[in-house]
Amino acid sequence: MTRRLGVNVDHVATLRQARQARYPDPLAAALIAERGGAAQITVHIRGDRRHIQDHDLRRLRESVQTLLNIEAACTEEMAGILLEARPHRVTLVAERAGEVTTEGGLDVAGNADEVAAFARRLGAAGIHVALFIDPDDAQVDASRVAGVDMVELNTARWAETGDIAELVRLARATSRARALGLAVAAGHGLTLHNLAPLCAAAPEIEEYNIGHALIADAVFFGLDASVRRYLELLA
Ligand code: PXP
């Protein structure tokens, strides 16, 4: 299976916002990533707007040539923004004010009706919806019941611990999701070091969304070279 790379350009915006400047531009990064072979551009619009801003969504939507995947929380504010931006895909995530980064997957099992209703609203507008979940049976099953056809598995624990038990969990959740007819993506904390073991353990993961490490590598190698390194690993 060809594995797709989604490049998350949030941290280009993080650098821009650190100075409240006009550069570096996440759209410029997105276009370089696409030219390097990325299949998708991913951004997370957070309630606190610490990196991606509303105007970035408009510009990305106009200019991204591949697919635009916007990660956002299930809030009324985000519903309005997403329905206006109309990206190709929305990945619904959990968000806690003040967190350094996304701390866990969306609790679909615990908020089934709310998540399903939110996904339906976006789906009715022609937006493809995926759910970012922890690799747990209950969350996978609940995602199927919520009516989506794709999940993104949270790889943060694998990235943080390097524990083989986490790889096994991700592989099991992938198989379960596939058996239920769900497409499977993965992301969070993935690097040039921890990506290959995950690809080997869960070959049915078809898409990887990678941001922090890929943009960090770009500081040293350049963005085009960084994207190509991740693509080589995925191949
Ligand atoms: N996927 C999701 C759902 C995320 O929330 C994030 C972080 O915004 C990523 C992927 C990318 O994670 P990282 O920046 O650690 O590669």
Side-chain angles (χ1 to χ4, degrees):
M1 186 202 305
T2 321
R3 304 182 186 99
R4 298 188 302 272
L5 174 65
V7 173
N8 179 317
V9 295
D10 288 351
H11 296 307
V12 176
T14 301
L15 196 55
R16 178 190 63 190
Q17 296 309 114
R19 281 284 181 96
Q20 301 287 321
R22 295 163 69 95
Y23 64 89
D25 183 353
L27 172 58
L31 300 180
I32 292 170
E34 287 188 322
R35 211 179 48 205
Q40 170 170 288
I41 302 301
T42 296
V43 290
H44 183 174
I45 180 139
R46 299 189 61 102
D48 63 11
R49 303 300 195 278
R50 71 175 68 155
H51 37 56
I52 293 295
Q53 307 294 306
D54 301 48
H55 62 79
D56 291 319
L57 299 186
R58 283 191 286 279
R59 295 174 64 240
L60 285 160
R61 185 67 182 92
E62 278 170 16
S63 300
V64 161
Q65 300 289 312
T66 54
L67 300 176
L68 178 62
N69 172 33
I70 301 182
E71 301 166 358
C74 299
T75 64
E76 266 317 296
E77 182 198 19
M78 288 302 151
I81 287 169
L82 296 168
L83 290 169
E84 194 194 321
R86 286 181 190 262
H88 303 93
R89 187 192 302 152
V90 166
T91 302
L92 296 176
V93 300
E95 208 174 282
R96 187 179 67 74
E99 66 185 2
V100 173
T101 183
T102 309
E103 288 174 346
L106 190 62
D107 182 10
V108 187
N111 301 279
D113 293 345
E114 185 197 342
V115 173
F118 203 90
R120 266 199 309 276
R121 262 170 95 185
L122 298 177
I127 301 169
H128 182 220
V129 180
L131 304 178
F132 180 65
I133 58 170
D134 289 330
D136 296 330
D137 289 355
Q139 300 298 345
V140 172
D141 295 356
S143 299
R144 181 75 190 84
V145 173
V148 300
D149 64 5
M150 184 170 202
V151 290
E152 177 171 334
L153 298 178
N154 181 7
T155 54
R157 261 169 63 187
W158 158 240
E160 282 158 19
T161 64
D163 186 348
I164 297 300
E166 281 304 316
L167 270 191
V168 173
R169 251 180 106 206
L170 286 158
R172 281 222 329 252
T174 300
S175 300
R176 191 171 184 102
R178 294 295 301 132
L180 293 172
L182 299 170
V184 181
H188 215 284
L190 295 175
T191 69
L192 286 172
H193 303 290
N194 62 29
L195 184 56
L198 177 58
C199 293
E204 289 180 297
I205 297 176
E206 61 189 65
E207 178 187 299
Y208 289 86
N209 287 299
I210 307 180
H212 184 257
L214 189 152
I215 299 299
D217 289 340
V219 171
F220 298 112
F221 309 130
L223 181 55
D224 185 71
S226 180
V227 168
R228 289 176 201 273
R229 283 187 179 208
Y230 283 84
L231 281 171
E232 276 165 25
L233 256 183
L234 290 179

